[in-house]
């Protein structure tokens, strides 16, 4: 059999088994290239005069790779799903409760699915994946302290990705347990605290320090209200700014703050701290609003059940 025919058949067979491998490959290739360039730039591999070119190249590569990956994903998923019935105009679409519900979440799950399948095949225990997520957050904390925001942003996003994978792997491998869920929750809180500590160290001489503390308090209260509710027998997953949204905001906030710093010569000012401050302010406001809305929701649920007898 000719070599070309052999390789073509192998590629066709692989594509038929996993049609979403292409958008995942595009996304991970883009991320790997951005991380490599970011490491070279922030660790002194490029001359400062090249900052502007690197910033523009990063923006171009980020949006080009991301948009192409999303477009390919949508085309493949539409082809796989087949023709869909036309929705009636009088039917109201459900408004998502969270910022990352819908197409973006489905796309990212397809991006991480090859990694998920690989970890399942290697029989890696979900608790190890949880520990890896914490490790990424620890590295992110160090990078933030050193001022390497570009790398820190990607590490934060990778840590959040591993946090998504541990539960999915546990369900796929039949290793779901209360012990694992408890370990995951505790390590998530410690990981989130580490990121805010890194930000606090980086902005220790700025007014942003107070916003960071407010954001950290809100983030912890979002998790605490859910945990306390579940301890009382109430399921509570409401709220707009939950952990995945906070991870995305912090990760991309750090990445684009670093890019704006690189473009300071073109823009005439360093707009990075302003963007990071805006992101942190959004997290501070929305996380505390989410915690408060959860408190109201839980108290109403407990009130209906006649369980509002006072503090324990």
């Amino acid at each position: 059999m000719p070599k070309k025919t052999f390789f073509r058949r192998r590629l066709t067979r692989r594509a038929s088994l996993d049609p979403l491998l292409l958008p995942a490959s595009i996304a991970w290739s883009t991320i790997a290239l951005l991380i490599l360039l970011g490491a070279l730039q922030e660790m002194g591999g490029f001359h400062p005069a090249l900052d502007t070119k690197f910033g523009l190249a990063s923006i171009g590569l980020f949006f080009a790779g991301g948009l192409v990956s999303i477009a390919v994903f949508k085309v493949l998923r539409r082809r796989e799903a087949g023709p869909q019935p036309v929705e009636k105009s009088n039917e109201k679409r459900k408004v998502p409760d969270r910022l990352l519900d819908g197409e973006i979440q489905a796309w990212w799950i397809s991006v991480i699915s090859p990694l998920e399948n690989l970890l399942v095949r290697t029989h890696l225990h979900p608790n190890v994946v949880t520990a890896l997520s914490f490790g990424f957050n620890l590295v992110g904390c160090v990078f933030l302290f050193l001022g390497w925001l570009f790398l820190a942003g990607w590490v934060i996003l990778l840590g959040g990705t591993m946090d998504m994978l541990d539960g999915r792997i546990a369900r796929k491998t039949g290793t779901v347990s209360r012990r694992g869920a408890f370990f995951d929750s505790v390590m998530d809180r410690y990981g989130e605290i580490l990121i805010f500590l890194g930000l606090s160290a980086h902005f220790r001489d700025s007014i942003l320090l107070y916003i960071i503390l407010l954001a950290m308090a809100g983030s912890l209260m979002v998790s605490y209200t859910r945990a306390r509710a579940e301890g009382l027998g109430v399921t509570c997953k409401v709220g707009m700014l939950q952990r995945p949204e906070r991870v995305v905001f912090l990760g991309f906030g750090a990445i684009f703050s670093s890019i704006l710093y690189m473009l300071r010569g073109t823009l005439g000012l360093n707009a990075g701290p302003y963007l990071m401050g805006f992101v942190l302010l959004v997290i501070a406001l929305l996380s505390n609003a989410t915690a408060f809305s959860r408190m109201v929701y839980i108290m109403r649920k407990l009130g209906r059940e006649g369980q509002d007898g006072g503090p324990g």
Side-chain angles (χ1 to χ4, degrees):
M1 181 185 297
K3 285 187 177 180
K4 288 185 178 180
T5 306
F6 173 75
F7 286 118
R8 190 179 295 116
R9 285 186 178 180
R10 288 198 65 180
L11 288 172
T12 304
R13 191 184 303 119
R14 190 166 186 178
S16 63
L17 291 174
D18 192 358
L20 298 179
L21 188 62
L22 181 58
S25 301
I26 295 171
W28 284 115
S29 299
T30 303
I31 291 170
L33 185 55
L34 283 168
I35 291 175
L36 176 62
L37 292 175
L40 290 173
Q41 195 277 338
E42 291 193 325
M43 294 180 183
F46 291 156
H47 193 275
L50 297 176
D51 276 356
T52 299
K53 292 182 180 179
F54 177 81
L56 293 173
S58 298
I59 292 175
L61 182 61
F62 176 85
F63 283 105
L67 291 175
V68 169
S69 177
I70 292 172
V72 172
F73 164 74
K74 285 191 172 185
V75 170
L76 291 175
R77 196 168 77 154
R78 194 171 299 167
R79 184 182 299 173
E80 193 177 79
Q84 298 295 316
V86 180
E87 294 183 359
K88 295 180 180 180
S89 58
N90 57 352
E91 289 183 356
K92 293 184 178 179
R93 290 187 177 182
K94 183 182 177 182
V95 179
D97 296 327
R98 298 172 57 178
L99 294 178
L100 295 183
D101 276 350
E103 290 291 321
I104 296 297
Q105 186 183 44
W107 166 72
W108 187 245
I109 289 174
S110 76
V111 168
I112 66 175
S113 61
L115 178 60
E116 177 184 338
N117 295 332
L118 175 64
L119 294 177
V120 169
R121 286 196 299 270
T122 56
H123 304 288
L124 195 66
H125 197 278
N127 285 352
V128 177
V129 181
T130 301
L132 288 173
S133 174
F134 175 80
F136 276 117
N137 287 321
L138 180 59
V139 173
C141 175
V142 174
F143 283 176
L144 288 169
F145 176 76
L146 295 173
W148 297 348
L149 295 186
F150 191 86
L151 289 177
W154 286 113
V155 170
I156 291 169
L157 293 174
L158 289 174
T161 298
M162 299 305 288
D163 184 44
M164 287 180 64
L165 286 174
D166 55 8
R168 295 176 63 85
I169 291 172
R171 288 187 290 272
K172 272 194 172 183
T173 56
T175 54
V176 176
S177 66
R178 292 190 299 172
R179 180 184 177 186
F182 175 76
F183 179 66
D184 178 51
S185 296
V186 173
M187 297 309 288
D188 283 352
R189 301 293 78 73
Y190 272 119
E192 201 161 11
I193 290 171
L194 280 174
I195 297 303
F196 283 115
L197 286 178
L199 286 167
S200 300
H202 182 71
F203 293 107
R204 57 188 176 275
D205 298 323
S206 168
I207 195 173
L208 291 181
L209 176 62
Y210 301 102
I211 301 177
I212 293 168
L213 295 177
L214 185 60
M216 181 169 66
S219 299
L220 294 177
M221 286 305 299
V222 168
S223 302
Y224 175 77
T225 49
R226 177 178 175 178
R228 188 70 181 100
E230 290 176 349
L232 295 171
V234 178
T235 301
C236 180
K237 296 183 179 180
V238 299
M240 183 173 290
L241 200 72
Q242 300 184 35
R243 176 165 165 75
E245 287 82 4
R246 297 195 300 271
V247 169
V248 169
F249 275 32
L250 288 170
F252 284 119
I255 290 168
F256 282 97
S257 293
S258 179
I259 290 176
L260 287 178
Y261 172 76
M262 298 172 201
L263 297 176
R264 63 194 181 280
T266 303
L267 299 175
L269 79 161
N270 178 17
Y274 296 102
L275 175 62
M276 199 68 220
F278 174 75
V279 169
L280 289 168
L281 183 61
V282 169
I283 293 174
L285 294 176
L286 292 185
S287 61
N288 282 283
T290 298
F292 183 78
S293 67
R294 283 187 170 186
M295 182 182 70
V296 173
Y297 172 82
I298 294 163
M299 290 184 70
R300 285 178 177 173
K301 291 275 288 187
L302 294 175
R304 292 194 199 103
E305 298 170 8
Q307 298 176 3
D308 53 347

